[in-house]
């Protein structure tokens, strides 16, 4: 395993984190959920973020995804500082630049697999014909071409997670943020999900995965280990 602090693979950073800090107050006591976190991610990298509960992993993902505001520091996506976005700009950035994959899928239960992917594109002004083409293409790509009209209750956990990955990809995001994407599926399905993420990365999609599962982390390009709101290690995986 070799240190990867320099990101010397020749690709320009698609994501830059600079001195990111998040402090909460518990009464009069400050709690540092993130403490001066800095790193860069190149286009097409598949990175896992690991560490014990409370180490700052999910807080970091929330800051990158504009789901919460940092106390200090900056996040840049494709060279643009998104941490300065106002409340009106943030939803547009999330919609166009960031894809989200959650542990418990977060699919709309009344919609079919096709409709769950389609709806992600509606607010981006994509024409209906193109949305239909894109949703069908993505679901077919991840092995659900025969499940387009199935609702989440008619799909297995692994199939639902694949729909959520297709939804995350719908608007061609700069980065995908996945929070414990294999946490609610069995071992066989976990390998399918990891395989999909690796394939997407090989095709140029940038992905950050928060996980407690070191077998998942070991299949990513880099492993960022967090402790007490800081980056304890940033290393290339030796199990790829």
């Amino acid at each position: 395993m070799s240190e990867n602090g320099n990101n010397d693979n020749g690709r320009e950073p698609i994501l830059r984190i600079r001195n990111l800090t998040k402090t909460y107050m518990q009464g009069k006591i400050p709690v540092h959920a993130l403490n001066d976190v800095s790193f860069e991610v190149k286009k097409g990298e598949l990175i896992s973020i690991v560490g014990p509960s409370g180490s700052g992993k999910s807080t970091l993902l929330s800051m990158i995804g504009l789901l919460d505001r940092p106390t200090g520091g900056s996040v840049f996506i494709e060279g643009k500082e998104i941490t300065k976005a106002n409340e009106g700009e943030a939803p547009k950035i999330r919609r166009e630049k960031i894809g989200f994959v959650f542990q418990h899928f977060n699919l709309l239960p009344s919609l079919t697999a096709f409709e769950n992917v389609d709806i992600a594109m509606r607010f981006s002004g994509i024409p209906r014909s193109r949305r239909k083409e894109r949703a069908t293409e993505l679901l077919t790509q991840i092995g659900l071409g025969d499940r387009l009209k199935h609702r989440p209750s008619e799909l297995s956990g692994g199939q639902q997670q694949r729909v959520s990955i297709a939804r995350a990809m719908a608007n061609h995001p700069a980065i995908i943020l996945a929070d414990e994407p294999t946490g609610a599926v069995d071992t066989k399905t976990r390998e399918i999900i990891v395989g999909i993420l690796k394939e997407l990365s090989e095709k140029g999609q940038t992905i950050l995965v928060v996980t407690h599962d070191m077998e998942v982390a070991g299949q990513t390009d880099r492993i960022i280990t967090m402790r007490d709101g800081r980056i304890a290690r940033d290393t290339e995986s030796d199990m790829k």
Side-chain angles (χ1 to χ4, degrees), residues 45-82:
E45 280 194 290
L46 173 58
I47 295 179
S48 54
I49 303 172
V50 304
S53 296
S55 60
K57 306 185 302 296
S58 292
T59 300
L60 175 60
L61 233 57
S62 293
M63 300 296 117
I64 298 172
L66 286 180
L67 299 176
D68 198 359
R69 296 280 182 174
T71 306
S74 304
V75 177
F76 297 83
I77 296 180
E78 295 181 324
K80 178 180 179 180
E81 184 177 357
I82 65 169

Side-chain angles (χ1 to χ4, degrees), residues 130-142 148 172:
R130 178 58 186 142
R131 297 201 314 263
K132 180 178 180 180
E133 178 185 350
R134 176 73 173 157
T136 302
E137 170 193 331
L138 288 170
L139 288 167
T140 301
Q141 179 182 337
I142 60 175
L148 300 182
H172 303 280

Side-chain angles (χ1 to χ4, degrees), residues 34-205:
L34 291 178
N35 196 344
D36 198 31
V37 171
S38 297
F39 64 95
E40 295 183 351
V41 180
K42 300 294 180 88
K43 180 176 172 59
E45 280 194 290
L46 173 58
I47 295 179
S48 54
I49 303 172
V50 304
S53 296
S55 60
K57 306 185 302 296
S58 292
T59 300
L60 175 60
L61 233 57
S62 293
M63 300 296 117
I64 298 172
L66 286 180
L67 299 176
D68 198 359
R69 296 280 182 174
T71 306
S74 304
V75 177
F76 297 83
I77 296 180
E78 295 181 324
K80 178 180 179 180
E81 184 177 357
I82 65 169
T83 32
K84 289 184 176 180
N86 60 38
E87 290 185 6
E89 296 169 329
K92 185 174 188 290
I93 294 171
R94 284 196 296 267
R95 188 168 60 243
E96 296 180 356
K97 297 293 185 182
I98 305 164
F100 295 92
V101 178
F102 302 98
Q103 178 175 351
H104 296 293
F105 324 132
N106 285 18
L107 300 177
L108 295 173
S110 63
L111 301 185
T112 65
F114 173 86
E115 291 166 338
N116 265 285
V117 178
D118 174 80
I119 198 170
M121 295 178 276
R122 289 185 194 177
F123 296 108
S124 297
I126 298 173
R128 184 176 180 181
S129 60
R130 178 58 186 142
R131 297 201 314 263
K132 180 178 180 180
E133 178 185 350
R134 176 73 173 157
T136 302
E137 170 193 331
L138 288 170
L139 288 167
T140 301
Q141 179 182 337
I142 60 175
L144 294 177
D146 59 345
R147 297 288 191 273
L148 300 182
K149 296 182 179 180
H150 287 61
R151 289 182 170 80
S153 62
E154 300 169 314
L155 300 172
S156 69
Q159 289 170 334
Q160 290 183 64
Q161 192 60 293
R162 281 188 271 170
V163 173
S164 74
I165 291 172
R167 179 184 59 189
M169 295 165 54
N171 288 317
H172 303 280
I175 57 174
I176 289 178
L177 304 178
D179 195 355
E180 297 285 357
T182 62
V185 299
D186 59 36
T187 301
K188 181 178 179 180
T189 304
R190 177 190 69 184
E191 294 308 310
I192 293 171
I193 299 300
V194 172
I196 290 171
L197 296 178
K198 289 170 68 175
E199 183 178 348
L200 291 173
S201 171
E202 289 166 2
K203 292 179 178 179
Q205 179 65 61

Side-chain angles (χ1 to χ4, degrees), residues 1-59:
M1 184 177 291
S2 61
E3 295 294 334
N4 195 37
N6 294 325
N7 274 328
D8 56 357
N9 56 9
R11 291 173 287 177
E12 289 300 315
I14 196 168
L15 173 68
R16 289 190 293 133
I17 310 298
R18 288 287 178 268
N19 309 112
L20 206 61
T21 300
K22 181 65 175 180
T23 303
Y24 300 97
M25 296 301 294
Q26 289 188 349
K28 296 183 178 180
I29 302 173
V31 177
H32 302 293
L34 291 178
N35 196 344
D36 198 31
V37 171
S38 297
F39 64 95
E40 295 183 351
V41 180
K42 300 294 180 88
K43 180 176 172 59
E45 280 194 290
L46 173 58
I47 295 179
S48 54
I49 303 172
V50 304
S53 296
S55 60
K57 306 185 302 296
S58 292
T59 300

